[in-house]
Amino acid sequence: MVGVIGRFAPSPSGALHMGSLVAALGSFLQARAQGGKWLLRIDDLDIPRVESGAINKIVDTLEFFGLRWDGEVLYQSGRRDDYARAITYLKAAGYAFDCGCTRREARSGRAGIEGPIYPGTCRRGLPAGRTARSIRLRVSEAPIVVTDAIQGCYTQRLDRDIGDFVIRRADGIVAYQLATVLDDAYQGVTEVVRGADLLSSTPRQIAIQQALGLHTPLYAHLPVVVDETGEKLGKSTGAIPLRPRNGAAQLFQCLRWLGQSPPDTLHDVSVSRLLEWSLDNWSLSRVPGAPRLGGR
Ligand code: GLU
């Protein structure tokens, strides 16, 4: 029997903050509390957004918090051949198509959940005189249901909600949706535990899995950490990077956010003692759901 395999896949666009620590901790506890493996993958495809030194900072922070991964770190930048093979297959099998539209042309359709729906201009072949810029996945009208272990059922109809989406950008960079699906499959991931800001991406990832004949892992989307004004904590909202001190107090806060109830007596213990308690007492069913971001 294949055991549980979880993963944490940060983008090295900056140091980890409280929101990313919650995702790291939640995925770590969910995998390890079941005796499974927990892998670390660095989503470093989007080179223009990679911040120098961020990878070392991420690794140091995880180590400081006692979140030790199994095996070697996987870098998406080393996986380009696999992505290229999948794109060749998707195009040959009719699941993907070349798109010659400029950004502006592609955004001229009606509104969807994450911006305008692609108007379908190149769906049946590139119009005369056009050259391919990006590659898109051809979506269908069949509803895609995510049965999320925390958020419940979440459904999208990709044709109405998202549209034919980009799997390789005009700058040649493979899109997050495709790379993530291929890497989760390559690493044998059985449970994807991550922030609920990615719930609306999941139907696109399932559509790619279906096209490639890949297994769909279990999905569990954790509540996104927000500040007092309700804004998601992230680099763009000025979230302060985690500090390598008071580790247990910061973990304690994350556990509370995840609906776990560490006793107050554990507030000032060592990080390893608090992690030990967390592994013994982890319960996914106590993690609170989050408000929906589009979809149904
Ligand atoms: N790299 C993505 C991020 O940092 C997460 C990818 C994932 O967990 O699927 O937002």
Side-chain angles (χ1 to χ4, degrees), residues 173-190:
I173 292 179
V174 170
Y176 156 72
Q177 310 291 357
L178 179 67
T180 293
V181 164
L182 290 171
D183 292 343
D184 285 338
Y186 174 72
Q187 296 191 284
V189 171
T190 61

Side-chain angles (χ1 to χ4, degrees), residues 79-293:
R79 300 253 311 127
R80 291 195 178 101
D81 290 352
D82 201 23
Y83 306 149
R85 264 193 302 276
I87 290 173
T88 303
Y89 167 78
L90 289 169
K91 278 176 62 174
Y95 290 112
F97 62 91
D98 284 333
C99 175
C101 296
T102 60
R103 217 177 132 72
R104 176 187 290 191
E105 287 163 342
R107 294 180 65 83
S108 63
R110 68 194 158 76
I113 288 177
E114 286 187 9
I117 306 266
Y118 176 68
T121 322
C122 305
R123 235 184 172 228
R124 283 177 194 82
L126 281 174
R130 282 300 176 109
T131 47
R133 292 167 53 88
S134 59
I135 300 174
R136 291 178 182 272
L137 196 88
R138 194 188 304 280
V139 301
S140 82
E141 63 284 349
I144 296 192
V145 183
V146 184
T147 314
D148 190 273
I150 298 170
Q151 311 294 339
C153 282
Y154 173 81
T155 306
Q156 277 179 3
R157 248 190 65 181
L158 289 177
D159 63 327
R160 282 203 307 230
D161 296 335
I162 299 288
D164 295 333
F165 60 91
V166 171
I167 55 172
R168 200 183 72 196
R169 301 178 350 192
D171 59 8
I173 292 179
V174 170
Y176 156 72
Q177 310 291 357
L178 179 67
T180 293
V181 164
L182 290 171
D183 292 343
D184 285 338
Y186 174 72
Q187 296 191 284
V189 171
T190 61
E191 303 195 358
V192 172
V193 180
R194 59 187 177 191
D197 53 322
L198 292 168
L199 181 60
S200 70
S201 285
T202 308
R204 267 168 282 181
Q205 296 181 13
I206 293 177
I208 296 171
Q209 287 156 1
Q210 289 173 348
L212 292 171
L214 298 171
H215 177 76
T216 294
L218 176 103
Y219 286 101
H221 287 87
L222 304 167
V224 173
V225 179
V226 288
D227 63 18
E228 314 79 58
T229 64
E231 279 285 302
K232 177 191 164 196
L233 288 193
K235 257 189 78 193
S236 49
T237 48
I240 305 157
L242 295 157
R243 296 264 168 262
R245 64 175 100 95
N246 302 335
Q250 293 178 81
L251 274 186
F252 199 92
Q253 235 180 307
C254 291
L255 287 166
R256 284 271 169 85
W257 187 263
L258 290 169
Q260 315 299 300
S261 326
D264 280 338
T265 49
L266 291 182
H267 211 276
D268 299 315
V269 296
S270 66
V271 163
S272 58
R273 172 75 195 96
L274 186 54
L275 268 186
E276 197 179 279
W277 178 93
S278 312
L279 283 167
D280 288 345
N281 293 279
W282 170 250
S283 162
L284 189 71
S285 60
R286 285 208 222 108
V287 179
R292 288 292 159 77
L293 310 154

